[in-house]
Coordinates of all heavy atoms in Angstrom, one line a residue:
Chain A
M1 N 18.9 6.1 -2.3 CA 19.3 7.4 -2.8 C 20.5 7.9 -1.9 O 20.4 7.9 -0.7 CB 18.1 8.4 -2.6 CG 17.0 8.0 -3.5 SD 17.2 8.8 -5.1 CE 15.8 8.1 -5.9
R42 N 18.9 13.9 -0.2 CA 18.7 12.5 -0.6 C 18.3 12.4 -2.1 O 18.7 11.5 -2.8 CB 17.7 11.8 0.3 CG 18.3 10.7 1.2 CD 17.1 10.0 1.9 NE 16.9 8.7 1.3 CZ 15.7 8.3 0.9 NH1 14.6 9.0 1.0 NH2 15.5 7.1 0.4
F43 N 17.3 13.2 -2.4 CA 16.8 13.1 -3.8 C 17.6 14.0 -4.7 O 17.2 14.2 -5.9 CB 15.3 13.5 -3.8 CG 14.4 12.6 -3.0 CD1 13.5 13.1 -2.1 CD2 14.5 11.2 -3.2 CE1 12.7 12.3 -1.3 CE2 13.7 10.4 -2.4 CZ 12.8 10.9 -1.5
L186 N -6.3 20.5 6.6 CA -6.8 19.2 6.1 C -5.6 18.5 5.5 O -5.0 19.0 4.6 CB -8.0 19.4 5.2 CG -8.6 18.1 4.8 CD1 -9.4 17.5 6.0 CD2 -9.4 18.1 3.6
E187 N -5.5 17.3 5.9 CA -4.4 16.4 5.3 C -5.1 15.2 4.7 O -6.1 14.7 5.2 CB -3.5 15.9 6.4 CG -2.9 17.0 7.3 CD -2.6 16.5 8.7 OE1 -3.6 16.0 9.4 OE2 -1.5 16.6 9.2
R188 N -4.4 14.6 3.7 CA -4.9 13.3 3.1 C -4.7 12.2 4.2 O -5.5 11.3 4.2 CB -4.2 13.0 1.9 CG -4.5 13.9 0.7 CD -3.6 13.6 -0.5 NE -2.2 13.8 -0.1 CZ -1.2 13.4 -0.8 NH1 -1.4 12.7 -2.0 NH2 0.0 13.6 -0.5
K189 N -3.6 12.3 4.9 CA -3.4 11.4 6.0 C -2.7 12.2 7.1 O -2.0 13.1 6.8 CB -2.6 10.1 5.6 CG -1.2 10.3 5.4 CD -0.4 9.0 5.3 CE 0.1 8.6 6.7 NZ 1.0 7.4 6.7
V190 N -2.8 11.8 8.3 CA -2.2 12.5 9.4 C -0.7 12.5 9.2 O -0.1 11.5 9.0 CB -2.6 11.9 10.7 CG1 -1.8 12.5 11.9 CG2 -4.1 12.0 11.0
D192 N 0.8 14.3 6.8 CA 1.1 14.8 5.4 C 1.1 16.3 5.4 O 0.6 17.0 6.3 CB 0.0 14.3 4.4 CG 0.4 14.6 3.0 OD1 1.6 14.7 2.6 OD2 -0.6 14.6 2.2
I195 N -3.5 19.8 2.4 CA -4.1 20.1 1.1 C -4.4 21.6 1.0 O -4.1 22.2 0.0 CB -5.5 19.3 1.0 CG1 -5.3 17.8 1.2 CG2 -6.1 19.5 -0.4 CD1 -6.6 17.0 1.3
E244 N -18.7 34.1 4.8 CA -18.7 33.4 3.5 C -17.9 34.3 2.5 O -17.2 33.8 1.7 CB -20.1 33.2 3.1 CG -20.3 32.7 1.6 CD -19.8 31.3 1.4 OE1 -19.7 30.5 2.4 OE2 -19.4 31.0 0.2
L260 N -1.2 15.6 -6.5 CA -1.9 14.4 -6.0 C -2.9 14.8 -4.9 O -3.7 14.0 -4.5 CB -0.9 13.4 -5.4 CG 0.0 12.7 -6.5 CD1 1.1 11.9 -5.8 CD2 -0.9 11.8 -7.3
S263 N -7.4 18.8 -7.4 CA -7.4 19.7 -8.5 C -7.4 21.2 -8.0 O -7.6 21.4 -6.8 CB -8.7 19.5 -9.3 OG -9.8 19.8 -8.5
A265 N -9.6 23.4 -8.7 CA -10.9 23.8 -8.2 C -11.2 23.3 -6.8 O -11.8 24.0 -6.0 CB -12.0 23.2 -9.2
Y266 N -10.8 22.0 -6.5 CA -11.0 21.5 -5.2 C -10.2 22.3 -4.2 O -10.7 22.7 -3.1 CB -10.5 20.0 -5.1 CG -10.5 19.5 -3.7 CD1 -11.7 19.4 -3.0 CD2 -9.4 19.0 -3.1 CE1 -11.7 18.9 -1.7 CE2 -9.3 18.5 -1.8 CZ -10.5 18.5 -1.1 OH -10.5 18.0 0.2
D269 N -11.9 25.6 -3.5 CA -13.1 25.4 -2.7 C -12.8 25.0 -1.3 O -13.4 25.5 -0.3 CB -13.9 24.3 -3.4 CG -15.2 24.1 -2.7 OD1 -16.0 25.0 -2.6 OD2 -15.5 23.0 -2.1
L270 N -11.8 24.2 -1.1 CA -11.4 23.8 0.3 C -10.8 25.0 1.0 O -11.0 25.1 2.2 CB -10.4 22.6 0.2 CG -9.9 22.1 1.5 CD1 -11.1 21.4 2.2 CD2 -8.8 21.1 1.4
R272 N -11.7 28.0 0.8 CA -12.9 28.8 1.2 C -13.4 28.1 2.5 O -13.6 28.8 3.5 CB -14.0 28.7 0.2 CG -15.3 29.3 0.5 CD -16.4 29.1 -0.6 NE -16.7 27.7 -0.8 CZ -17.7 27.1 -0.1 NH1 -18.3 27.8 0.9 NH2 -18.0 25.8 -0.2
V273 N -13.6 26.8 2.5 CA -14.1 26.1 3.7 C -13.2 26.3 4.9 O -13.6 26.6 6.0 CB -14.3 24.6 3.4 CG1 -14.7 23.9 4.6 CG2 -15.4 24.5 2.3
M274 N -11.9 26.1 4.7 CA -10.9 26.1 5.8 C -10.8 27.5 6.4 O -10.8 27.7 7.6 CB -9.5 25.7 5.3 CG -9.4 24.3 4.8 SD -10.1 23.0 5.9 CE -8.7 22.9 7.1
K276 N -13.2 29.8 6.4 CA -14.4 30.1 7.1 C -14.4 29.4 8.5 O -14.7 30.0 9.5 CB -15.6 29.6 6.3 CG -16.0 30.5 5.2 CD -17.0 29.8 4.2 CE -18.3 29.5 5.0 NZ -19.2 28.7 4.1
R277 N -14.0 28.2 8.5 CA -14.0 27.4 9.8 C -12.9 28.0 10.7 O -13.2 28.1 11.9 CB -13.7 26.0 9.5 CG -14.8 25.2 8.8 CD -14.5 23.7 8.7 NE -15.6 23.1 8.0 CZ -15.7 21.8 7.8 NH1 -14.7 21.0 8.3 NH2 -16.7 21.3 7.2
Chain B
T274 N 16.1 0.1 -3.0 CA 15.5 1.3 -2.2 C 14.0 1.1 -2.3 O 13.4 0.3 -3.1 CB 15.9 2.6 -2.9 OG1 15.4 2.6 -4.2 CG2 17.4 2.7 -3.0
E276 N 12.0 3.3 -3.7 CA 11.6 3.7 -5.0 C 11.8 2.5 -6.0 O 10.9 2.3 -6.8 CB 12.5 4.9 -5.5 CG 12.2 6.2 -4.7 CD 12.9 6.2 -3.3 OE1 13.6 5.3 -3.0 OE2 12.7 7.2 -2.6
A445 N -21.5 20.0 9.0 CA -21.0 19.3 7.7 C -20.8 17.8 7.9 O -20.6 17.1 6.9 CB -19.8 20.0 7.2
D602 N -17.1 14.4 6.1 CA -17.3 15.8 6.2 C -17.6 16.3 4.7 O -16.7 16.2 3.9 CB -15.9 16.4 6.6 CG -16.0 17.9 6.8 OD1 -16.7 18.6 6.0 OD2 -15.2 18.5 7.7
E604 N -18.2 19.0 3.4 CA -17.5 20.3 2.8 C -16.1 20.0 2.4 O -15.6 20.7 1.5 CB -17.5 21.4 3.9 CG -18.9 22.0 4.1 CD -18.9 23.2 5.0 OE1 -18.0 23.3 5.9 OE2 -19.8 24.0 4.9
T605 N -15.4 19.1 3.1 CA -14.0 18.9 2.7 C -13.8 17.5 2.0 O -12.8 17.3 1.4 CB -13.1 18.8 4.0 OG1 -13.5 17.7 4.8 CG2 -13.3 20.0 4.8
H607 N -13.5 14.7 3.5 CA -12.7 13.8 4.4 C -13.5 12.8 5.0 O -14.6 13.1 5.6 CB -11.9 14.7 5.4 CG -11.0 13.9 6.2 ND1 -11.2 13.6 7.5 CD2 -9.8 13.4 5.9 CE1 -10.1 12.9 8.0 NE2 -9.3 12.8 7.0
Q649 N -0.4 6.8 -8.8 CA -0.6 7.6 -10.0 C 0.5 7.2 -11.0 O 1.6 7.1 -10.7 CB -0.5 9.1 -9.7 CG -1.7 9.6 -8.8 CD -3.0 9.6 -9.6 OE1 -3.0 10.2 -10.7 NE2 -4.0 9.1 -9.0
N657 N 4.4 8.4 -8.0 CA 4.6 8.6 -6.5 C 5.1 7.3 -5.9 O 4.4 6.6 -5.2 CB 3.3 9.0 -5.8 CG 2.0 8.2 -6.2 OD1 2.0 7.5 -7.3 ND2 1.0 8.3 -5.4
R659 N 7.1 6.7 -3.5 CA 7.7 6.7 -2.1 C 6.6 7.0 -1.1 O 5.6 7.5 -1.5 CB 8.9 7.7 -2.1 CG 8.6 9.0 -2.6 CD 9.9 9.9 -2.6 NE 10.8 9.5 -3.7 CZ 11.1 10.2 -4.7 NH1 10.7 11.5 -4.8 NH2 12.0 9.8 -5.7
L664 N 0.5 7.2 0.1 CA 0.1 7.4 1.5 C -0.6 6.1 2.0 O -1.8 6.0 1.9 CB -0.8 8.6 1.7 CG -0.1 9.9 1.2 CD1 -1.1 11.1 1.4 CD2 1.2 10.2 1.9
I665 N 0.2 5.3 2.7 CA -0.4 4.2 3.4 C -0.9 4.8 4.7 O -0.3 5.7 5.3 CB 0.5 3.0 3.6 CG1 1.8 3.4 4.3 CG2 0.8 2.3 2.3 CD1 2.7 2.2 4.6
P666 N -2.1 4.3 5.2 CA -2.7 4.9 6.4 C -1.8 4.7 7.6 O -1.1 3.7 7.8 CB -4.0 4.2 6.6 CG -4.0 3.0 5.7 CD -2.9 3.2 4.6
G667 N -1.8 5.7 8.5 CA -1.1 5.7 9.7 C -2.0 5.4 10.8 O -3.3 5.2 10.6
R669 N -3.3 7.1 13.1 CA -4.4 8.0 13.4 C -5.4 8.1 12.2 O -6.3 8.9 12.3 CB -3.8 9.4 13.8 CG -3.1 9.4 15.1 CD -2.4 10.6 15.5 NE -3.3 11.7 15.6 CZ -3.0 13.0 15.6 NH1 -1.7 13.3 15.6 NH2 -3.8 14.0 15.8
D670 N -5.1 7.4 11.2 CA -6.0 7.4 10.0 C -6.9 6.2 10.0 O -8.0 6.2 9.4 CB -5.2 7.5 8.7 CG -4.3 8.6 8.7 OD1 -4.8 9.8 8.7 OD2 -3.1 8.4 8.6
P725 N -10.1 12.9 -0.2 CA -10.9 14.1 0.1 C -11.3 14.8 -1.2 O -12.5 15.2 -1.4 CB -10.1 14.9 1.0 CG -9.1 14.0 1.7 CD -8.9 12.9 0.7
G726 N -10.3 15.0 -2.1 CA -10.6 15.7 -3.3 C -11.6 15.0 -4.2 O -12.6 15.7 -4.7
R729 N -15.2 15.2 -2.3 CA -15.8 16.5 -2.3 C -16.2 16.9 -3.7 O -17.4 17.5 -3.8 CB -14.7 17.5 -1.7 CG -15.1 19.0 -1.9 CD -16.4 19.4 -1.2 NE -16.7 20.7 -1.4 CZ -17.9 21.3 -1.2 NH1 -18.8 20.6 -0.6 NH2 -18.1 22.5 -1.5
M730 N -15.4 16.7 -4.7 CA -15.8 17.2 -6.0 C -17.0 16.4 -6.5 O -17.9 17.0 -7.2 CB -14.6 17.1 -7.0 CG -13.5 18.1 -6.6 SD -14.0 19.8 -6.1 CE -14.1 20.6 -7.6
K733 N -20.0 17.8 -4.7 CA -20.3 19.1 -5.2 C -21.0 19.0 -6.5 O -22.0 19.7 -6.8 CB -19.0 19.9 -5.3 CG -19.2 21.4 -5.4 CD -17.8 22.1 -5.2 CE -17.8 23.5 -5.8 NZ -18.6 24.4 -5.0
D739 N -24.6 22.7 -0.1 CA -23.5 23.1 0.8 C -24.0 23.6 2.1 O -25.0 24.3 2.2 CB -22.8 24.3 0.2 CG -21.8 23.8 -0.9 OD1 -21.7 22.6 -1.1 OD2 -21.2 24.7 -1.6
T741 N -23.0 25.7 5.7 CA -22.0 26.6 6.2 C -21.9 26.5 7.7 O -22.7 25.9 8.3 CB -22.3 28.1 5.8 OG1 -23.6 28.3 6.2 CG2 -22.2 28.3 4.3

Side-chain angles (χ1 to χ4, degrees):
Chain A
M1 294 275 176
R42 245 187 104 230
F43 297 131
L186 186 74
E187 305 149 304
R188 292 173 299 167
K189 72 166 267 187
V190 175
D192 188 25
I195 305 173
E244 174 65 28
L260 291 171
S263 63
Y266 172 62
D269 184 60
L270 183 67
R272 176 183 68 83
V273 173
M274 299 307 284
K276 284 168 61 183
R277 290 186 182 184
Chain B
T274 62
E276 292 80 1
D602 182 328
E604 286 187 334
T605 65
H607 186 252
Q649 293 287 311
N657 48 344
R659 50 185 75 116
L664 303 179
I665 55 175
R669 290 174 65 193
D670 304 297
R729 168 62 184 164
M730 293 319 271
K733 198 170 157 73
D739 282 356
T741 52

